[in-house]
Amino acid sequence: MSDPFENVDAASPQMIDIIASALETRAEDTDMLPVIDAYLDAIAVGDGGHIVDIGSGTGGITRRIADRFPKALVTGLEPSTALTEKAKELAGDRSNLTFRLGDGGALDVDSDTIDVAILHTVLSHVQSPEPLVSEAVRILRPGGSLVICDADFSKAKMGVVPGDPLGSCADAFVAGAVTDPWVAGKLKPLVNTARLETRHFSVLNRVVTSGMGSMVWVRMSTARMVADGVIGQPLADALEAEYLRRAEAGTLYCVLPFVTLIATKQTS
Ligand SMILES: C[S@@+](CC[C@H](N)C(=O)[O-])C[C@H]1O[C@@H](n2cnc3c(N)ncnc32)[C@H](O)[C@@H]1O
């Protein structure tokens, strides 16, 4: 199965809706915000500085960045037209925030001009992360910061017993919607280029025990299995109902580690 995040516009309208809604839910999820705020706390951007969010999706995190740094210019670059349109709709009247189409492997941004480049859960969804890292380094000014935050999907778990039916949704999500579940563990060597110096590396667990934060694992995996004729809609509905039941009953348990790496571009 191919990862729909590799080319969101090629996905079905139902899948695009699931993706857009999941990205928005996650960007506001109290289980996710500490991970985002931890790296925003660690970067300094002066007035008039420029932050680029590469692979910005519907812009939920980009909006948070723009609100956090109101005197900086914030640009979200995203290859999907559908997600970029959604991001523009949701941007509101923030004067420091713009969204436009852009592929992380070939950015339409001048070299040595950007203060902070952010890749938030993008590299786990591309076949080859190296060109995206090279492009991010190219656009950064010397002394600028690259922030890579990605999930360690190799350790994604949902459920409380071996063979838990919801656990199969997590497994199916990772198998069908994550290009490289192991990329988080490869980040240090990936940025180990002559022009980058890693100054921060940490892992925080996102633990979801209530709310809709991990429902995407159920919805995306079951939608695909129904479309492929693997399961019927009644089982998909039952798995969604089971997620909701556990969220309501307080028995939901989903764990996903997030790795954050911050590196500084060296003067040549
Ligand atoms: C899981 S989403 C994350 C979106 C956003 N960063 C967030 O966390 O809300 C992955 C995003 O990477 C984008 N993407 C995929 N390939 C890309 C590429 N080559 N360059 C930039 N973004 C890419 C997808 O379109 C999608 O919006």
Side-chain angles (χ1 to χ4, degrees):
M1 284 190 285
S2 64
D3 176 351
F5 289 101
E6 278 184 24
N7 183 358
V8 173
D9 290 341
S12 67
Q14 179 204 12
M15 190 58 81
I16 293 175
D17 280 350
I18 293 173
I19 288 172
S21 146
L23 292 178
E24 283 300 301
T25 301
R26 190 180 69 172
E28 292 180 0
D29 195 332
T30 51
D31 304 305
M32 188 70 221
L33 293 180
V35 175
I36 300 164
D37 288 340
Y39 66 70
L40 296 184
D41 285 346
I43 56 174
V45 186
D47 293 357
H50 195 169
I51 304 170
V52 171
D53 186 19
I54 302 165
S56 45
T58 53
I61 293 173
T62 334
R63 296 196 298 277
R64 191 169 186 84
I65 298 167
D67 292 343
R68 176 70 181 265
F69 299 100
K71 295 192 172 162
L73 186 64
V74 179
T75 304
L77 298 171
E78 162 60 44
S80 159
T81 302
L83 297 186
T84 302
E85 288 307 311
K86 189 83 185 155
K88 287 179 180 173
E89 274 169 42
L90 294 170
D93 58 3
R94 294 170 176 84
S95 58
N96 65 331
L97 176 61
T98 50
F99 289 100
R100 56 189 166 88
L101 286 173
D103 187 313
L107 295 171
D108 180 18
V109 178
D110 289 342
S111 301
D112 302 315
T113 56
I114 301 301
D115 296 278
V116 180
I118 298 177
L119 285 156
H120 188 106
T121 57
V122 175
L123 297 185
S124 52
H125 295 290
V126 298
Q127 294 283 342
S128 174
E130 290 85 358
L132 277 75
V133 172
S134 297
E135 270 297 87
V137 175
R138 179 186 67 76
I139 66 172
L140 282 174
R141 63 165 173 77
S145 296
L146 171 63
V147 178
I148 303 175
C149 180
D150 221 306
D152 184 353
F153 283 107
S154 70
K155 297 167 187 70
K157 290 287 172 207
M158 175 155 58
V160 288
V161 291
D164 192 310
L166 286 188
S168 66
C169 293
D171 294 345
F173 175 84
V174 173
V178 181
T179 302
D180 186 354
W182 296 91
V183 78
K186 303 171 186 167
L187 294 181
K188 273 193 172 182
L190 189 61
V191 303
N192 190 19
T193 74
R195 302 199 69 192
L196 278 176
E197 184 177 301
T198 298
R199 63 179 167 88
H200 173 96
F201 184 87
S202 62
V203 186
L204 285 173
N205 283 320
R206 178 187 181 211
V207 181
V208 177
T209 56
S210 62
M212 298 291 278
S214 294
M215 178 63 103
V216 63
W217 291 357
V218 179
R219 287 198 176 143
M220 276 186 80
S221 58
T222 59
R224 292 177 72 118
M225 285 192 278
V226 169
D228 292 346
V230 176
I231 64 171
Q233 191 59 46
L235 178 53
D237 293 343
L239 288 163
E240 181 161 336
E242 176 60 11
Y243 178 102
L244 292 171
R245 188 195 68 76
R246 291 191 198 186
E248 180 72 19
T251 57
L252 188 67
Y253 187 67
C254 319
V255 181
L256 183 61
F258 276 82
V259 171
T260 298
L261 182 152
I262 304 177
T264 305
K265 179 172 172 177
Q266 302 300 288
T267 43
S268 43

